[in-house]
DNA sequence: TAGGCCATCTGGTCCT
DNA sequence: AGGACCAGATGGCCTA
């Protein structure tokens, strides 16, 4: 199932509304349908293996000569992969909740979340460094050193630029660009 | 209808 | 050896 709360009522519930895990997830997982012909049969390109891109890693012969235990292992592996992705999505959701953004009614996509988070962190860092360098100037402590270190490492993008970029980005998201 | 985003399956590779 | 991680492929849902 793919229920999305990106906008209200997005993603219907075709069938099978129960999660295989019972764990509450921000995005409800589809029921695991098991191996399904015609779906997910392609694999990534040939990473160090022979054959064309389309053929590389494609599923071998058929399930007819596949031992039952290997099918079972695959199903277990699928389940673990689902759980892993659910944890990843939980982390994305947690991140969304701490990033201030404008379109509260519209869920941030993953790429938007990462991009905003990066610039938010940069803007916060710039703010902290600016404050600490001002207050602690001439005093002992980590402030001035931290500021110097940051300046050395961020010479190509000055701290003030992050705030500007973050606010610009928030603005562009508001306008849907 | 096209394009964006997403969940899921899958096999290869890395790590413990 | 087995699990975690990764990325390609596919199909479904939604919006413009």
């Amino acid at each position: 199932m793919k229920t999305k709360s990106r906008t209200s009522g997005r993603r219907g519930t075709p069938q099978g509304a129960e999660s295989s895990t019972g764990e509450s997830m921000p995005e409800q997982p589809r029921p695991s349908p098991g191996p399904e012909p015609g779906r997910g049969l392609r694999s990534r390109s040939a990473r160090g293996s022979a054959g064309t891109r389309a053929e590389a890693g494609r599923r071998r012969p058929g399930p007819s000569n596949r031992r039952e235990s290997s099918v079972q292992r695959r199903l277990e592996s699928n389940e673990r992969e689902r759980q892993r992705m659910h944890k990843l999505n939980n982390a994305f959701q947690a991140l969304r909740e701490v990033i201030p953004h404008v379109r509260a009614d519209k869920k941030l996509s993953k790429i938007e979340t990462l991009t905003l988070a990066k610039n938010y962190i940069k803007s916060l860092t710039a703010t902290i460094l600016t404050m600490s360098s001002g207050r602690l100037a001439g005093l002992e402590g980590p402030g001035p050193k931290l500021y110097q270190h940051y300046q050395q490492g961020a010479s190509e993008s000055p701290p003030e630029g992050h705030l500007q970029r973050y606010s610009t980005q928030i603005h562009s998201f508001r306008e849907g660009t």
Side-chain angles (χ1 to χ4, degrees):
Chain A
M1 175 179 60
K2 289 167 74 175
T3 47
K4 266 181 127 180
S5 53
R6 188 167 185 175
T7 54
S8 56
R10 190 173 174 182
R11 286 267 188 286
T13 306
Q15 70 256 342
E18 74 179 349
S19 157
S20 57
T21 68
E23 193 178 344
S24 71
M25 296 291 176
E27 298 182 12
Q28 297 295 325
R30 281 188 198 168
S32 43
E36 186 179 330
R39 271 200 68 201
L41 295 185
R42 279 67 173 177
S43 78
R44 65 173 77 174
S45 63
R47 261 200 277 166
S49 63
T52 66
R53 184 186 180 88
E55 288 170 336
R58 197 180 281 258
R59 251 205 272 183
R60 305 273 187 264
S64 57
N65 58 355
R66 188 187 272 185
R67 286 170 40 212
E68 199 169 328
S69 63
S70 71
V71 173
Q72 182 61 30
R73 272 208 307 276
R74 197 359 101 185
L75 292 178
E76 290 169 359
S77 180
N78 290 350
E79 177 63 22
R80 282 194 300 273
E81 179 66 5
R82 272 197 302 274
Q83 294 304 313
R84 195 180 70 85
M85 296 309 296
H86 292 163
K87 283 200 278 186
L88 184 62
N89 287 335
N90 282 344
F92 265 104
Q93 184 55 35
L95 188 55
R96 282 183 191 104
E97 288 168 6
V98 297
I99 302 173
H101 62 281
V102 176
R103 294 184 307 179
D105 59 320
K106 191 172 186 294
K107 181 181 168 186
L108 291 174
S109 70
K110 291 180 178 178
I111 186 67
E112 286 171 340
T113 302
L114 290 179
T115 307
L116 268 182
K118 181 194 75 175
N119 290 316
Y120 184 50
I121 289 169
K122 285 184 172 181
S123 72
L124 290 180
T125 303
T127 302
I128 290 168
L129 291 173
T130 301
M131 289 175 69
S132 65
S133 69
R135 287 196 186 175
L136 301 177
L139 298 178
E140 297 279 334
K145 281 183 185 172
L146 188 63
Y147 189 64
Q148 284 169 15
H149 179 78
Y150 182 76
Q151 281 186 316
Q152 285 166 8
S155 55
E156 75 282 1
S157 56
E160 313 85 57
H162 301 319
L163 276 173
Q164 179 66 37
R165 196 179 314 166
Y166 182 68
S167 69
T168 302
Q169 194 167 34
I170 285 254
H171 217 75
S172 70
F173 280 159
R174 182 192 326 192
E175 313 210 334
T177 57

